[in-house]
Amino acid sequence: MRRMTQAAYAKINLTLDVLGLRGDGYHNLESVMQTVSLSDRLVITMEDQPGIRLKCETKGVPEDETNLAWKAGETFLHHARLTKKGLAIEIEKHIPVFAGIGGGSSDAAATLRCINNMSNAGFTTQELMEIGAGVGSDVPFCVQGGTALVRGRGERVNPIWALPDCWIVLCKPRFNIATPELYRKLDQSPPQRHPDTRAMLEALQSGDLLEVAKNLHNVFEDVLPQEQWEEVIAIRRLMVGEGALGSCMSGSGPTVFGLFDREDLAWKTVKGLRQFYSAVFLTQPV
Ligand code: C5P
């Protein structure tokens, strides 16, 4: 029996562009992604009898094969031909679920890294990312972490210049998002305005946080139902009103993030938002 503990970090999308529907039903994406310091904690035990068990005390987190960490464990054991081994996965959840900040994908990536270490399977990071791509579109990025330009279905991950030091406030509105529905809406009415990914890359290369903040853009915002769009915009305005350099929705939502160059303003914003929302976090790039 071997046991290992690992942090699983949330992510935000500094830009998110959906380029079009593919033959396999997925969409080609172009996104600049960033890991942030909000994290779940996973304890993984490798056992000598087959089977997977998953425990998570947070309500709403599946404890069966629909959990991406379970799926990651199963996929890994299959790829490594370790079908006689089993896993016990314990997840201490801090990242809100169904929030657009990669909680499930990050748990899956942490599971892959852990088992790779414990089993001595010796997969390279690139191979782990390929295994992760079969688990979920955001998993390859979560295996890599840091700052990256992500393309294809999510499997083409190119590390890029790190986001300059800053404070990142996350706020999850109360409503939930139906991701496939938002993709369908984008198919029906393709985005009028696309992120300027090149400008974002240049801003990162020159370490210019203000330019990064000016170029935050997510095409999913434009296809939110009216009421949800209004709430996202209200949070964005509040963040900018409190001193954020820029603000945007992450992934297919609904979490909104704001970039700050001053910790005191970021904290003040967190306190203000906590009067209305329960899921508000102060984070930093990882
Ligand atoms: O891969 P993942 O399980 O995260 O995808 C969830 C849903 O998001 C898919 O069923 C699909 O509808 C949509 N999706 C997509 N194109 C991508 C990623 C996700 O259409 N590149």
Side-chain angles (χ1 to χ4, degrees), residues 6 10 13 16 27 31 47 62-63 70 73 75 82 102 115 125 148 150 170-171 183 187 206 217 240 246 263 283:
Q6 190 55 218
N13 300 78
L16 178 47
H27 293 76
S31 178
E47 298 176 328
E63 294 186 307
W70 178 306
T75 310
L82 290 169
I115 324 175
T125 303
V150 178
L170 308 178
C171 174
Y183 273 107
D187 294 336
S206 52
H217 187 126
V240 172
E263 185 183 6
T283 70

Side-chain angles (χ1 to χ4, degrees), residues 25-27 29 136-137 152-153 179-180 183:
Y26 283 85
H27 293 76
L29 308 175
S137 305
R153 207 198 105 194
T179 302
Y183 273 107

Side-chain angles (χ1 to χ4, degrees), residues 22 24 26-31 33 125-144 148-159:
R22 302 155 37 126
D24 61 4
Y26 283 85
H27 293 76
N28 277 321
L29 308 175
E30 187 168 70
S31 178
M33 292 171 71
T125 303
Q126 187 57 41
E127 286 167 332
L128 279 189
M129 286 160 71
E130 282 162 24
I131 297 170
V135 178
S137 305
D138 284 340
V139 181
F141 168 75
C142 292
V143 168
Q144 171 84 53
L149 175 62
V150 178
R151 284 178 290 192
R153 207 198 105 194
E155 77 287 3
R156 288 168 55 201
V157 180
N158 285 85

